[in-house]
Amino acid sequence: SVARVAAMNEYGVPGGTSGGWKVPPRPAIGTALAQNEAKYRRSMQTRLGIEAAKTARKNRSPRQHREAVRKSMMALGEMVANDIRESILGWRTPPNADETIRKKGEDNPLVEDGTLASAFEPTWTPSGGTGNVLGGLAKAVKALGGKK
């Protein structure tokens, strides 16, 4: 599955020669999230603040407010997905092994056919509350097999 491949690349697969790695860790997902966490927090605060102000000013119904918040959170999710995609597509260390480069025809460690990078898409799951978007992302990365 894509989640399995993501986890193997994110955290590595031990078992290479001399106790090394069969697949070395290439933490593109966790790195993208960590490097952009402040941006996500600012964006979320700004978006939710704007929607709260619009709701108060325009006297929107709870349903209209929920839909506006959903759209804002989907935009934030797309920002996160784009950052992860860019990190995956631009990741270069450690480089592929010579044999892998021969098989793939290039040295782009996290890209073979684009499946991994294209797998990140935002989704909306109403929970009845605002939830913790960044905490949810950390849980998702952890579910891939890591200890974040």
Side-chain angles (χ1 to χ4, degrees), residues 12-25:
V13 177
T17 59
S18 303
W21 296 94
K22 183 174 179 182
V23 176

Side-chain angles (χ1 to χ4, degrees), residues 5-73:
V5 170
M8 288 170 53
N9 280 295
E10 187 78 4
Y11 303 107
V13 177
T17 59
S18 303
W21 296 94
K22 183 174 179 182
V23 176
R26 294 182 176 106
I29 300 166
T31 299
L33 296 175
Q35 288 178 343
N36 293 292
E37 182 177 2
K39 176 178 79 170
Y40 303 148
R41 288 186 189 283
R42 283 190 308 273
S43 178
M44 185 169 55
Q45 289 168 345
T46 299
R47 291 171 190 279
L48 292 179
I50 289 169
E51 293 310 327
K54 284 181 183 177
T55 295
R57 190 172 60 248
K58 296 181 179 182
N59 197 25
R60 294 193 292 197
S61 71
R63 185 190 59 75
Q64 290 169 318
H65 180 71
R66 280 191 303 274
E67 178 59 17
V69 169
R70 183 194 70 77
K71 286 180 181 178
S72 291
M73 292 296 95

Side-chain angles (χ1 to χ4, degrees), residues 89-100:
L89 295 172
W91 199 269
R92 294 294 185 263
T93 57
N96 285 126
D98 291 340
E99 183 170 330
T100 304

